[in-house]
Amino acid sequence: MADHELRLVSKAVQEKDIKPALERGIHPTWFVNQQARTMWEAVIEHWQKYGVVPAPATLRDQLPGCVLLNVAESYEYLLDAFCEWRSNGLTVEAVQQANVLIDDENYIGARQTLLRSLVAIDEANYRGKTSDLDLTQTVDERIAEYIALRDLPDGLRGIPTGFPTIDRATSGLQPQQLITLIAAPKVGKSTVLEALARNIWEVGKVPLLFTFEMSNSEQSARLDSMFTNIAHSKLTTGRIDEYDIRRLELRLARLKKGQPFPIIADPGSTSTLSGIAAKIEEYQPDVAIIDGVYLMQDEVTGEYNTPQALTNITRGMKRLAQRMNIPIFGATQALQWKMKGNKLNRDSTGYSSSFFQDSDVLLGLQHVDADDDEETDERTLRVLGSRNCPPVSVTLMWDWTTATFEEYADE
């Protein structure tokens, strides 16, 4: 019998407490040994029926011959050890299954098997990290927090986006939030995300920008344009003059002295939630920004841009934001035929309603008028839906000749 399984069951009976294990999501199917699984099922059934964990004698009456150990280790240690043991077992099982598929030259199936295993392991390790609260015991702490909020800059709980009207409505980008921006194709989702990343960096925070549509050189040129207010077209066509060169040297010197500003433009390794999670672990950003969520691959189904795949991805992004304790800001496409009166609404997201359901804040970007000129124009940025703030709308200056993308004076 696997030692971790028996020790965990014995600890629950010894401590007369099954709740820590249930909070970690320990399920009978996690047990490999049939006797340990049967014992665990009996403990759960007794607890559900009588509200208490069965005594050792009671369990032996129900299951003659079952073995219970006298366990000295702490409950928390045993839970961590059990989850680690299960993760190792899942890894071995996934590799064995993948090897069989590789022998059959089914390399896509092998990759999908390994990816699904990573999702299962990540889910198992995350489950149960709850944050319980007794409302009656934290009154003083909450009052102190409300008073402290009064003294925050602009009353923001989170990181400012650089769009003041949106910040005042949402109180900034807050840890564990999923924020989604939607727009029709070619309206400027990527531009808003780049401006957002620059604004986050300007306030001393670390943005981590994922892009599935542009190369690193394309992204860096666009951001250099925003940092220096030199026309993007001048940078990319070599039409800069001596004044522009001096401005580049002066204004980009700050980048060399500041905090990191990582950009990930490798869809081959980061188009899955596991890949994104690995990069977040590596760079430890204050905000993760994902341009092109609809281009990501679902690790469960192996599919791209299907309703089920997108639902799995948005659910996973929300869990990832909670686990990493940072805001995650993603962008996806809106569908023209789902816009009412040529205006975005919360149902305009393409292919899946989960973007609205899972997002703490849903933003929409569209042209102010019917003019589709992306170089010099205006845009409207709106809060289409939010858990905690009313709908607001702001007009953005949109000018690539000076690389200016900001809201007009206070609205």
Side-chain angles (χ1 to χ4, degrees), residues 257-379:
K257 299 177 182 179
Q259 71 278 10
F261 192 144
I263 300 173
I264 311 298
D266 183 7
S269 64
T270 58
S271 63
T272 63
L273 283 171
S274 294
I276 286 173
K279 289 298 181 181
I280 292 176
E281 291 277 10
E282 178 181 353
Y283 287 103
Q284 297 292 306
D286 295 294
V287 183
I289 303 169
I290 305 172
D291 186 10
V293 174
Y294 62 97
L295 295 173
M296 292 177 62
Q297 181 184 21
D298 173 34
E299 293 167 290
V300 177
T301 64
E303 298 172 345
Y304 293 87
N305 212 21
T306 64
Q308 186 59 58
L310 291 173
T311 298
N312 292 341
I313 288 169
T314 59
R315 299 284 189 273
M317 287 171 62
K318 177 60 180 177
R319 287 196 298 269
L320 184 61
Q322 293 171 327
R323 180 163 64 86
M324 298 297 187
N325 198 36
I326 62 170
I328 293 181
F329 196 117
T332 193
Q333 285 190 342
L335 297 180
Q336 195 73 36
W337 64 269
K338 296 179 74 173
M339 297 168 61
K340 297 178 180 179
N342 207 35
K343 290 186 177 181
L344 288 170
N345 59 81
R346 66 188 191 185
D347 299 319
S348 300
T349 50
Y351 312 109
S352 176
S353 60
S354 65
F355 286 101
F356 171 67
Q357 295 166 357
D358 296 330
S359 297
D360 296 277
V361 181
L362 182 69
L363 300 171
L365 180 74
Q366 63 185 94
H367 289 278
V368 171
D369 52 36
D371 183 5
D372 288 333
D373 176 19
E374 193 175 354
E375 293 299 318
T376 305
D377 199 355
E378 294 177 337
R379 300 290 191 275

Side-chain angles (χ1 to χ4, degrees), residues 128-145:
K129 296 182 180 178
T130 58
S131 179
D132 298 343
L133 169 69
D134 183 345
L135 199 63
T136 66
Q137 300 300 310
T138 57
V139 171
D140 293 339
E141 290 90 337
R142 298 201 306 279
I143 292 174
E145 181 181 356

Side-chain angles (χ1 to χ4, degrees), residues 158-162 196-206 259:
I159 299 170
T161 65
L196 171 71
R198 180 206 56 188
N199 295 340
I200 291 169
W201 189 89
E202 291 280 15
V203 297
K205 302 297 184 180
V206 176
Q259 71 278 10

